[in-house]
Amino acid sequence: MGAAAAQTLFTPEEYIVRERKAQFKSEYLSGRIVAMSGASRAHNLITRNISGELYVQLKGRTCESYTNDMRVRIPSPMSYTYPDVVVVCDEPRFEDDVFDTLLNPTVLVGVLSPSTEAYDRDRKFSRYRQIASLQEYILVSQDKFCVEHYRRRGNHWVLTGFCTREDVLPLLSIHCELALSDIYHLVKFPQD
């Protein structure tokens, strides 16, 4: 019987120091540093489309949107993630004066990939629910017209699915909406 390999655990402070020097992004999950893989063409198009639509709709308002490189801290259990798109309203709060780790997101968007889909729906969403400011969590499929919209209502989260080109996703917390035809602009699905 072989011995299990010992896993090195890092403190949040050690992770931040390493991450700020790293050439490639990693997430931090309860002491473990997990490397992030590259994104597909569809993933990049969807992220760009959502970010672009939100930029136009939020321009001149008190909300800001970020893509890919804005780290978000989850308080319990202590974790750091890189959502595909983040929106924060009112005054953004950051972990320190480097301004690269957001504490108070309003909306988080994740584009699903085969390797992370189950985690994004389950454990990552469970962690995100601990962020008091978070009002909406969006999961976007990259291989079919399908967007899952989770919206906070008190202590509960309500799921609504959008799965046709004609659907429009309302983002009530930021007074925006995203047409699926815009989210999936230029994206070709495997069956196309």
Side-chain angles (χ1 to χ4, degrees), residues 99-129:
F99 307 110
D100 62 354
T101 305
L102 185 67
L103 303 177
N104 62 327
T106 306
V107 176
L108 297 176
V109 178
V111 179
L112 298 172
S113 61
S115 63
T116 64
E117 184 171 349
Y119 173 70
D120 289 343
R121 280 201 177 95
D122 184 36
R123 288 182 49 209
K124 187 179 269 188
F125 184 37
S126 175
R127 291 170 191 253
Y128 282 158
R129 290 193 301 260

Side-chain angles (χ1 to χ4, degrees), residues 47-94:
T47 300
R48 187 223 39 214
N49 292 343
I50 292 170
S51 177
E53 288 295 319
L54 290 176
Y55 171 78
V56 170
Q57 293 180 47
L58 295 171
K59 192 172 182 179
R61 295 178 35 205
T62 60
C63 297
E64 298 176 5
S65 64
Y66 309 101
T67 55
N68 297 325
D69 290 327
M70 180 55 71
R71 191 171 36 250
V72 170
R73 187 183 82 182
I74 302 166
S76 178
M78 180 61 78
S79 304
Y80 293 88
T81 65
Y82 288 95
D84 292 305
V85 179
V86 179
V87 178
V88 60
C89 291
D90 300 319
E91 189 65 32
R93 291 190 349 255
F94 295 94

